[in-house]
């Protein structure tokens, strides 16, 4: 039975897992789940069983159900060890896991915050400007860290392309899409980004992302339906610490902010 991946092409977490699946050459069926839409079909029921918090991605491999992108990658590495996409030494493996953790928590939260302001217009005027200035500084500091990771290394993963690169690239693409491309003060990171963009797995994931954006734009046109957004852990923290606690309270009162689904 083929592996099934419940995913959304715009999710950086889903993109990370797909880069690993494509690199390993594991055949899989994509099932697209929009986290903002509850459904009552069989696929959705299977998704909820695999991902109790109703977050994408989630993977089903026969009787095995796995959620959380990092845990999915651990599973894929153990179930299909070749080609190995994690570094060989324990120290380098730990470094890559820490990098992945930073991207999935602190970095993702900044991109997400920018999207809340620029796309969902949670803040306007002076407050929006202030939040965006803070976000830009936060990105610059994380780009500094990423630039250092590439000192003496060809890839984020080390000598060979792998998990470290899959963990960083989708978030960098996300920043660029929101108007924050990596600055010229980070030459190694810029060069790395160009090299990753030329590889087939990231390219394929990029095409799926672009197709999804086209579909969404065709569906919505100029309409901006009010979407009830999930505020979770680092994303919630970002809004509170960066100067948007009033945005959070207002969203809760108006019902435009929600938390993760609960276990059933
Ligand atoms: N820790 C999870 C986070 C996944 C996540 O937050 N996914 C988002 C999409 S980018 C989601 O599905 N959110 C659920 C929602 O919006 O209700 C992972 O690494 O897979």
């Amino acid at each position: 039975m083929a592996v099934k991946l419940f995913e959304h092409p715009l999710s950086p977490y889903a993109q990370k897992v797909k880069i690993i699946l494509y690199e390993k050459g594991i055949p899989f069926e994509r099932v697209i789940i929009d986290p903002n839409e509850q459904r009552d079909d069989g696929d959705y029921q299977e998704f909820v069983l695999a991902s109790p918090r109703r977050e994408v991605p989630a993977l089903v491999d026969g009787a095995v159900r796995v959620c959380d992108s990092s845990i999915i990658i651990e599973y894929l590495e153990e179930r299909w060890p070749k080609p190995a996409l994690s570094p060989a030494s324990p120290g380098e493996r730990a470094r890559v896991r820490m990098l992945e953790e930073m991207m999935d928590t602190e970095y993702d939260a900044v991109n997400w915050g920018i999207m809340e302001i620029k796309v969902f217009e949670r803040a306007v005027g002076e407050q929006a400007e202030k939040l965006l200035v803070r976000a830009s500084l936060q990105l610059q500091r994380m780009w500094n860290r990423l630039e250092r990771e590439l000192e003496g290394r060809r890839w984020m993963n080390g000598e060979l392309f792998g998990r470290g690169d899959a963990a960083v690239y989708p978030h960098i693409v996300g920043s660029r899409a929101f108007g924050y491309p990596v600055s010229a003060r980070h030459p190694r990171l810029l060069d790395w980004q160009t090299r990753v963009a030329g590889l087939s797995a990231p390219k394929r994931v990029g095409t799926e992302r672009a197709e999804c954006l086209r579909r969404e734009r065709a569906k919505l046109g100029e309409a901006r339906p009010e979407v009830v957004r999930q505020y979770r852990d680092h994303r919630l923290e970002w809004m509170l610490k960066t100067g948007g606690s009033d945005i959070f309270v207002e969203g809760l009162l108006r019902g435009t902010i929600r938390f993760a689904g609960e276990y059933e």
Side-chain angles (χ1 to χ4, degrees):
M1 205 194 301
V3 169
K4 226 180 202 185
L5 184 74
F6 296 93
E7 68 120 346
H8 193 280
L10 302 184
S11 162
Y13 303 95
Q15 291 168 21
K16 170 174 73 161
V17 167
K18 286 192 295 179
I19 292 176
I20 298 292
L21 283 161
Y22 289 138
E23 276 288 319
K24 281 187 179 283
I26 303 165
F28 67 101
E29 180 194 342
R30 289 170 61 206
V31 180
I32 296 185
I33 296 285
D34 180 344
N36 292 311
E37 255 173 43
Q38 296 221 5
R39 305 186 334 217
D40 53 13
D41 56 63
D43 271 342
Y44 193 80
Q45 281 158 13
E46 202 182 356
F47 163 64
V48 174
L49 282 177
S51 180
R53 283 170 57 88
R54 300 176 188 213
E55 290 168 352
V56 286
L59 181 122
V60 174
D61 176 22
V64 177
R65 302 185 185 114
V66 195
C67 63
D68 186 275
S69 58
S70 304
I71 301 176
I72 295 173
I73 291 179
E74 298 280 336
Y75 174 76
L76 296 175
E77 283 281 71
E78 287 168 12
R79 167 107 161 78
W80 288 273
K82 294 225 167 96
L85 293 175
S86 303
S89 80
E92 278 293 281
R93 289 166 96 90
R95 179 188 64 78
V96 162
R97 286 195 183 108
M98 287 187 287
L99 187 56
E100 184 171 354
E101 174 67 10
M102 177 187 84
M103 297 309 293
D104 285 354
T105 57
E106 286 160 78
Y107 197 107
D108 167 77
V110 182
N111 275 352
W112 174 86
I114 294 171
M115 179 162 61
E116 281 294 277
I117 297 157
K118 287 196 162 185
V119 180
F120 295 101
E121 297 173 352
R122 295 252 182 208
V124 286
E126 203 180 316
Q127 187 180 27
E129 257 171 57
K130 275 192 181 155
L131 285 163
L132 291 175
V133 166
R134 292 277 300 273
S136 164
L137 283 173
Q138 291 161 347
L139 288 180
Q140 295 283 342
R141 282 199 286 264
M142 285 186 279
W143 291 338
N144 292 343
R145 151 109 192 252
L146 294 173
E147 184 74 6
R148 286 197 299 274
E149 295 283 332
L150 291 168
E151 254 169 41
R153 279 188 200 95
R154 178 158 169 77
W155 302 100
M156 292 291 171
N157 204 55
E159 276 166 41
L160 299 174
F161 175 86
R163 177 177 186 172
D165 305 281
V168 176
Y169 187 68
H171 294 285
I172 296 284
V173 170
S175 301
R176 193 178 53 200
F178 295 131
Y180 296 83
V182 171
S183 77
R185 284 198 298 280
H186 303 89
R188 280 189 288 261
L189 188 55
L190 277 174
D191 173 63
W192 166 86
Q193 181 187 288
T194 310
R195 283 184 285 116
V196 178
L199 300 176
S200 72
K203 249 193 201 157
R204 195 160 170 188
V205 169
T207 304
E208 289 163 5
R209 181 181 182 281
E211 284 166 359
C212 175
L213 273 174
R214 265 197 300 277
R215 278 196 306 272
E216 297 272 310
R217 288 195 184 121
K219 195 169 75 187
L220 292 177
E222 291 304 303
R224 280 275 167 82
E226 198 162 61
V227 178
V228 183
R229 304 260 293 150
Q230 185 211 44
Y231 273 48
R232 63 156 172 75
D233 42 64
H234 285 262
R235 294 178 174 183
L236 168 59
E237 179 187 309
W238 184 88
M239 196 49 101
L240 300 182
K241 80 175 182 194
T242 310
S245 24
D246 56 324
I247 295 175
F248 171 64
V249 173
E250 194 197 322
L252 272 188
L253 294 175
R254 290 183 51 222
T256 60
I257 284 177
R258 63 181 164 78
F259 296 107
E262 294 184 9
Y263 283 69
E264 287 180 358

